[in-house]
Amino acid sequence: MVSGNAWRDEEVAHTLRLLEIIGRTDIPVFPGAVFPLVRTLEEARLWQERYGKVGFAGAWDPRWWHEPFVIPDLPEGSPTTKPSSAKMPRIFSYPHGPTNIPHEVTIYEGAPMTNLATAITIDPQFPELAQELVFMGGSLHPVTDNPEFSNNPRHEFNFWFDPEAADKVLRAPWKKITRHDG
């Protein structure tokens, strides 16, 4: 989990609670990045002063902003399960040994790309070993009345929240990249 629509710890709590509701507490939840690689709240505010207010600013949105490590009361209730305390597993290794399984795993990114950019920094071969990257982002030709795009049809939250991560991830040597409209 990564910060995006809300701060990481709040996103983790929502995910854990959802897994409890659907009876899948066997699925581990790994906390990822709390903050974008470079962009800060102040830089996001300055960006909006220069280019115009965005319709959706995620964890930085003043309508529901709170400190990064605060978890507000969740409408669905608080989870009783905890996130995994283990290190994030190497995606291309079987659980019981170091055998690599290149080109069999599709990576789906439906949030800011901070975790993927960090994974690439740790293991530069990571993109080459994936079968494909499928990501949500990159509004190329929007035709919508969605307020997120009201002042800039090219604004897209996942890229806007952490543009440096998106740049690093999309320039990596993936075998295949597919853009998914969320």
Side-chain angles (χ1 to χ4, degrees), residues 3-11 34-35 41 45 58-74 161:
S3 290
N5 290 355
W7 292 110
R8 179 205 60 196
D9 293 350
E10 183 179 351
E11 296 282 16
V34 176
F35 302 103
L41 174 60
R45 286 181 181 151
W60 288 329
D61 200 302
R63 294 172 290 183
W64 49 77
W65 191 88
H66 57 76
E67 292 294 326
F69 298 101
V70 170
I71 301 173
D73 290 337
L74 306 179
F161 192 78

Side-chain angles (χ1 to χ4, degrees), residues 1-3 8 30-35 37 88 109 111-122 126 162 165 169:
M1 297 306 302
V2 63
S3 290
R8 179 205 60 196
F30 294 91
V34 176
F35 302 103
L37 295 179
M88 187 68 165
E109 180 61 76
M113 296 184 174
T114 315
N115 287 342
L116 286 180
T118 302
I120 292 168
T121 299
I122 293 167
F126 169 63
D162 195 343
V169 170

Side-chain angles (χ1 to χ4, degrees), residues 76-103:
E76 67 272 29
S78 297
T80 57
T81 54
K82 302 292 181 209
S84 177
S85 60
K87 288 185 178 181
M88 187 68 165
R90 288 192 51 98
I91 293 173
F92 299 106
S93 296
Y94 286 109
H96 303 294
T99 307
N100 286 335
I101 53 169
H103 311 296

Side-chain angles (χ1 to χ4, degrees), residues 12 17-18 40 65 100 112-113 127 138 140 143-144 151-152 161 182:
V12 166
R17 184 64 186 128
L18 173 66
T40 63
W65 191 88
N100 286 335
M113 296 184 174
L140 300 175
V143 177
T144 179
N151 64 2
N152 184 346
F161 192 78

Side-chain angles (χ1 to χ4, degrees), residues 9-47:
D9 293 350
E10 183 179 351
E11 296 282 16
V12 166
H14 282 295
T15 302
L16 289 170
R17 184 64 186 128
L18 173 66
L19 291 171
E20 289 174 355
I21 291 168
I22 65 170
R24 291 303 311 268
T25 57
D26 58 309
I27 299 172
V29 175
F30 294 91
V34 176
F35 302 103
L37 295 179
V38 176
R39 182 169 271 179
T40 63
L41 174 60
E42 183 58 27
E43 289 168 342
R45 286 181 181 151
L46 291 172
W47 187 95

